[in-house]
Amino acid sequence: MTTTPHTTPGARLVNSSPFTEAGPRFPLYEPEFAADPQSVFARMRREHRAMVPVELAPGVPATLVIEHSTAVRILNDHEHFPGDPRTWQQGVAADCPVLPVMEWRPIPGRSTGTDFQRYRAAQLTTLADVDLHWLRATVEKLSVQLIGSFCEAGTADLLLQYTFPLIFGVCNALLGCPPEIGQRVADGMAAMLEGVDADTGNQMLHSALAELTASKRADPADDVTSRLLQHPAQLDDYEMAHQLTGIYGATIEPQQNLIANALLLILGDGRFGGSVLGGSLSTRDALDEALFDNPPMANLLITYPRQPILIGDVWLPAHQPVVISIAACNNDPAIRSDDHRGNRSHLSWGLGQRSCPAQTPAYLVAQEAIDQLLDALPEMELDFPDGPVWRPGPFHRSLTALPVKFPPSPPLVS
């Protein structure tokens, strides 16, 4: 199988520029790329050294960074490579499938200057105050409940029955979001991520989180939403709804993919399965391997050059997306190592001011979720009829399902 770069016939190139690299573009949205991205990255390296012309959706050009050193340079250059997409999105059709994911929001990753500092400080302070003992207990309680719902069946789809409901439940608990609002959030996010009626999903999500914000202003509690409202940044209701959208978006898709991709490694790779269950390798080792080889968000950390800029031998046009391929950069032959144990040099958590503000809680949740599952069902095996299938999309690295089988067992008592 080979992915062939192309230019969509009749497509309008958004923000095209005389500096735009000529030639065909690699489409990141097609199933062939999702099925075997490393083969595509190898071809990209043969044809382009560090930066590659790609399409994020039909008619939406971008540059994909596949060299680790170039990615580090760009991520550390906030003056020339800001994350604010507003100029870019002026030329993007309202029904563009990637627009709801990429459009401007008042959140740190899409802001600059004093706005960036306000939003970043509010998130860092608020997330640093999360009680990790409470968080571990919350993950354990939800894990036991979910495992109990399928452990007697002997089979399960861990994506549908475990990772998604677990991470969504944890996120709701962190934000103090009640179930009825949480369901509307889930429905809105599903519509956005799948690109089906994405604009309606976006509105549904914003409406639900505006309601959550209003309820916490009226009756604050010990949760992330209330602490964000109480932060000296003095976020207004509009900013709060988008902060919460950003937290949901940065939690659910990446975290469920991280857990699923690590489980795929543990259950499907002989180097890990027995070693993790036997204690010679830790779940943390498996998580780091997955973060290197199958990062949950394979291509992200998007920036928009303020003006045409020459990087190496490539002119990048102003305001056109520059996307960091975390998956390609992590596997750059210049830095690649066969043993990832204890090595956290990957870009899966971002870098510097663009780093994830919740790395410690994210590791804790993923590790606890996996340990609870393996402790409860130690004889679990993968049960793919024809091997793993990956969801198409330019950004995520996400399985369509994670079917397993195991000897039926009675539910655990929490």
Side-chain angles (χ1 to χ4, degrees):
M1 186 279 301
T2 302
T3 297
T4 302
H6 71 268
T7 301
T8 305
R12 177 175 58 87
L13 295 183
V14 180
N15 289 322
S16 60
S17 159
F19 300 115
T20 302
E21 185 167 345
R25 292 182 174 272
F26 287 79
L28 300 188
Y29 51 87
E30 292 189 341
E32 291 80 5
F33 175 73
D36 190 7
Q38 292 303 329
S39 292
V40 180
F41 293 146
R43 182 175 176 189
M44 287 178 176
R45 288 192 177 96
R46 289 194 299 268
E47 299 181 13
H48 309 272
R49 184 176 61 82
M51 292 176 286
V52 183
V54 298
E55 277 191 329
L56 303 178
V60 181
T63 298
L64 189 72
V65 180
I66 63 172
E67 183 182 66
H68 188 275
S69 61
T70 301
V72 170
R73 173 182 175 181
I74 288 171
L75 292 173
N76 283 322
D77 187 350
H78 308 288
E79 177 62 28
H80 294 100
F81 291 94
D84 189 329
R86 279 177 284 191
T87 300
W88 166 78
Q89 73 185 57
Q90 291 173 8
V92 178
D95 60 353
C96 173
V98 296
L99 183 59
V101 177
M102 296 175 64
E103 70 182 347
W104 179 81
R105 298 178 187 275
I107 59 175
R110 298 178 198 175
S111 301
T112 58
T114 57
D115 285 339
F116 169 82
Q117 298 297 336
R118 285 179 62 232
Y119 303 145
R120 177 77 172 174
Q123 286 196 3
L124 285 172
T125 302
T126 300
L127 293 171
D129 288 340
V130 172
D131 184 334
L132 297 182
H133 297 291
W134 169 85
L135 183 59
R136 188 185 301 276
T138 299
V139 177
E140 178 181 0
K141 178 181 178 181
L142 290 171
S143 296
V144 169
Q145 292 173 351
L146 290 167
I147 294 167
S149 71
F150 59 74
C151 63
E152 294 178 290
T155 63
D157 175 358
L158 294 181
L159 273 185
L160 179 66
Q161 296 173 259
Y162 189 65
T163 62
F164 175 77
L166 173 63
I167 297 307
F168 196 75
V170 169
C171 198
N172 284 341
L174 279 167
L175 296 175
C177 184
E180 62 274 14
I181 295 179
Q183 185 57 55
R184 288 158 54 200
V185 170
D187 294 343
M189 291 194 68
M192 284 175 59
L193 289 170
E194 298 303 325
V196 178
D197 203 8
D199 186 56
T200 299
N202 202 3
Q203 295 175 27
M204 185 187 309
L205 177 63
H206 187 84
S207 172
L209 295 178
E211 185 175 326
L212 175 61
T213 297
S215 71
K216 295 299 178 181
R217 281 201 190 277
D219 186 19
D222 184 16
D223 54 52
V224 167
T225 305
S226 299
R227 289 196 291 272
L228 275 172
L229 285 166
Q230 296 160 3
H231 190 272
Q234 297 183 316
L235 301 170
D236 63 29
D237 287 358
Y238 178 78
E239 291 173 319
M240 274 297 303
H242 284 286
Q243 300 303 311
L244 298 178
T245 298
I247 291 173
Y248 269 111
T251 300
I252 294 173
E253 179 81 11
Q255 194 78 354
Q256 72 162 347
N257 292 348
L258 174 58
I259 295 171
N261 295 354
L263 283 168
L264 180 67
L265 178 66
I266 292 169
L267 300 176
D269 189 325
R271 295 175 302 132
F272 277 87
S275 298
V276 170
L277 290 170
S280 59
L281 285 176
S282 69
T283 303
R284 182 67 172 259
D285 293 323
L287 287 168
D288 283 327
E289 182 95 1
L291 285 165
F292 264 104
D293 291 345
N294 255 344
M297 302 305 291
N299 308 301
L300 205 62
L301 303 173
I302 307 170
T303 62
Y304 304 82
R306 294 183 189 275
Q307 62 272 322
I309 185 169
L310 182 66
I311 301 292
D313 57 355
V314 176
W315 275 104
L316 298 175
H319 308 299
Q320 189 181 98
V322 175
V323 182
I324 304 298
S325 179
I326 298 165
C329 291
N330 288 353
N331 290 278
D332 183 346
I335 64 151
R336 175 75 188 184
S337 170
D338 291 334
D339 187 354
H340 298 321
R341 285 176 293 182
N343 185 344
R344 313 239 147 82
S345 64
H346 54 73
L347 297 178
S348 298
W349 298 119
L351 186 71
Q353 293 186 27
R354 295 193 177 99
S355 63
C356 172
Q359 294 179 42
T360 297
Y363 263 128
L364 184 153
V365 170
Q367 186 165 338
E368 186 69 19
I370 292 171
D371 286 344
Q372 289 289 333
L373 185 66
L374 296 180
D375 286 347
L377 302 170
E379 298 179 69
M380 185 168 51
E381 300 176 356
L382 296 175
D383 192 27
F384 288 107
D386 300 303
V389 178
W390 301 91
R391 282 170 45 206
F395 306 122
H396 54 243
R397 182 63 172 160
S398 176
L399 291 162
T400 59
L402 185 56
V404 294
K405 59 184 178 181
F406 45 84
S409 63
L412 298 171
V413 177
S414 58

